[in-house]
Amino acid sequence: MSLHTLDAIDAARAIREKVLSPVDLIEALLERIERIDGRIQAWALVDREGARRAARQAADEAARGTFRGVLHGVPFGAKDIFYSAGLRTEAGSKTMAGFVPDYDATSVARLKAAGAILLGKLHTTEFATTDPAPTRNPWNLVCTPGGSSSGSAAAVAARMVPLAFGTQTIGSNVRPASYCGLVGLKPTFGRISTRGVIPLSYTQDHVGLIARCVEDIALALSVAAGRDPGDASSSRVPVGDYVAALTRRRAPRVGLLREFFERATPEVTDVTGQAINRLARGGADIEEAKLPPTFRAVAAACEHGDPWGFLRARAQDPAPVPPRDGPVARALRRAADADHADPGARGHGDGRRELPAPVVDLGAAIDHRAVRPDEFGFAAGGPAHQRPVHRGAAALGGGVVRGYPRPRVGAEPLA
């Protein structure tokens, strides 16, 4: 097996068993990045020398039988709105060019404390809002990987890193995971601290995770989750053993929202139907469900001020503060609604169901309605989990939200 194809949980096990050196793993990934990222453009910054130093230290510690945590020697990437001490954090914006924070976001610091190695920063849309990012979908370079965690999803899908942090305010973590055929998790609000993450909405921002298998998500969540005194919105609920929970299988209860199928393309409807049938054959309890009339009103929960002037003013101090300027926020949300209010545009869909990755010319003017689904179902603070069900020309990178753990995908993009 090529080292760049290793999932995080397998790499961690191999390093602990001393059959894999973190140095060899880092070098394999750096070679992969050098070879293919010119076409994909997932990375805003690759910390080659820093990653190599950390890998040598991790290898020396492993040789002595010292392991800092469950992710010892395992590389990860972070969306470029996460603070990283000594590395540029530019949020996809020229207004942040050259900014270097002096501390790590809590989530980044926790993975490092568990032995993980930050390989670099991943492209995002500007301030995690307006599409597009420069990144392309590694399964088809004329397609978008989705936003705003564009680079995070593309890098993981292209086997340039096994694990990455994304963020989600509405659909920015699970949508890119879906478009790229990955596992994406938006945890419950406050489950992972947002301290050190440049904000979009203090009342809706979630730190998310993207990986190629459910086990990697569970492992990383067990490290990143937990109360943070520096984030007043972080949860006090104890952190569970998410990896062990994967072995306690029980039949899932799946709500089927047929009203969403009315806006789907025939290809997506077909693939989703196949996934539903497989879940049913596997023992899942499939139930017809309907959304309440007030469902879309959840978008009004966003309570912060001007997302440009306010973000720029706060970008160098992204500590949580109380919600701001509710009327302005609601006016901005109404404007955003109007910007992508046409549900009939091809490629425009709802992130609460399966989506294909739209074809988009990233070098031309973009109709944002084709790349920014109105995923108001994700604006609430509950968890959302995406897992892939299909890859192909008809429904590239399709996924099902709130899915069920699946076998790992053996296909590799840009092989």
Side-chain angles (χ1 to χ4, degrees):
M1 174 183 287
S2 299
L3 295 184
H4 69 266
T5 66
L6 284 173
D7 293 326
I9 198 164
D10 294 328
R13 184 181 301 112
I15 290 169
R16 187 169 291 274
E17 294 173 354
K18 301 183 181 181
V19 297
L20 172 65
S21 167
V23 173
D24 292 339
L25 180 56
I26 286 290
E27 290 299 333
L29 293 174
L30 290 176
E31 188 279 331
R32 177 79 171 169
I33 291 169
E34 183 69 24
R35 182 160 58 88
I36 70 171
D37 194 51
R39 289 175 283 168
I40 298 172
Q41 301 181 62
W43 296 90
L45 179 151
V46 179
D47 186 18
R48 292 173 175 82
E49 294 312 309
R52 284 173 170 137
R53 284 195 302 272
R56 289 193 294 268
Q57 180 178 348
D60 291 343
E61 291 168 346
R64 299 194 303 269
T66 300
F67 298 92
R68 279 182 262 167
V70 295
L71 288 169
H72 189 89
V74 176
F76 73 102
K79 183 177 180 177
D80 198 27
I81 61 172
F82 285 73
Y83 271 30
S84 49
L87 293 181
R88 295 194 311 272
T89 301
E90 298 180 331
S93 176
K94 292 180 180 179
T95 65
M96 292 287 290
F99 172 64
V100 178
D102 59 4
Y103 69 93
D104 287 327
T106 297
S107 49
V108 171
R110 285 179 173 172
L111 257 65
K112 285 184 175 180
I117 298 171
L118 180 61
L119 192 51
K121 310 300 285 296
L122 296 154
H123 276 304
T124 178
T125 60
E126 187 172 15
F127 287 115
T129 54
T130 306
D131 287 316
T135 310
R136 296 174 181 262
N137 193 307
W139 294 100
N140 186 336
L141 296 179
V142 302
C143 287
T144 175
S148 61
S149 302
S150 312
S152 298
V156 172
R159 276 61 174 173
M160 291 186 277
V161 72
L163 178 69
F165 278 124
T167 61
Q168 181 158 324
T169 304
I170 297 179
S172 294
N173 196 85
V174 296
R175 179 176 66 237
S178 178
Y179 284 4
C180 293
L182 300 169
V183 180
L185 175 70
K186 182 200 83 167
T188 305
F189 182 76
R191 179 72 296 187
I192 301 178
S193 171
T194 57
R195 179 178 179 270
V197 181
I198 295 174
L200 178 57
S201 167
Y202 290 116
T203 59
Q204 289 178 249
D205 288 350
H206 298 65
V207 170
L209 292 160
I210 295 176
R212 295 189 295 268
C213 67
V214 172
E215 293 90 339
D216 283 4
I217 296 287
L219 187 65
L221 182 63
S222 69
V223 173
R227 175 69 176 166
D228 176 12
D231 178 2
S233 66
S234 63
S235 174
R236 298 179 182 274
V237 175
V239 177
D241 187 341
Y242 302 116
V243 177
L246 295 179
T247 65
R248 298 193 293 271
R249 298 290 179 89
R250 64 172 182 264
R253 184 183 178 198
V254 179
L256 180 57
L257 301 168
R258 289 198 182 277
E259 60 196 279
F260 287 155
F261 286 71
E262 297 173 2
R263 301 198 303 176
T265 63
E267 299 93 340
V268 168
T269 299
D270 180 61
V271 169
T272 305
Q274 293 176 34
I276 292 167
N277 291 336
R278 288 199 299 272
L279 287 167
R281 289 196 300 270
D285 182 11
I286 309 294
E287 296 183 9
E288 298 280 343
K290 286 188 175 296
L291 291 170
T294 56
F295 183 69
R296 288 182 180 274
V298 72
C302 181
E303 296 286 340
H304 67 72
D306 167 46
W308 300 110
F310 177 58
L311 282 178
R312 290 184 180 115
R314 295 293 303 172
Q316 296 189 18
D317 182 23
V321 298
R324 290 170 52 108
D325 210 356
V328 172
R330 285 189 285 274
L332 289 168
R333 178 61 67 192
R334 286 194 296 272
D337 293 349
D339 182 53
H340 52 84
D342 177 9
R346 182 172 179 82
H348 177 85
D350 193 305
R352 295 158 295 192
R353 59 167 169 76
E354 185 166 354
L355 287 171
V359 174
V360 55
D361 179 359
L362 296 178
I366 302 301
D367 177 358
H368 290 174
R369 292 174 300 179
V371 293
R372 294 181 64 193
D374 59 338
E375 295 160 331
F376 292 157
F378 294 138
H385 167 237
Q386 193 286 139
R387 63 101 175 172
V389 296
H390 174 83
R391 288 196 183 95
L396 175 66
V400 168
V401 171
R402 297 184 185 273
Y404 198 57
R406 64 178 299 284
R408 301 178 190 182
V409 177
E412 182 173 330
L414 296 180

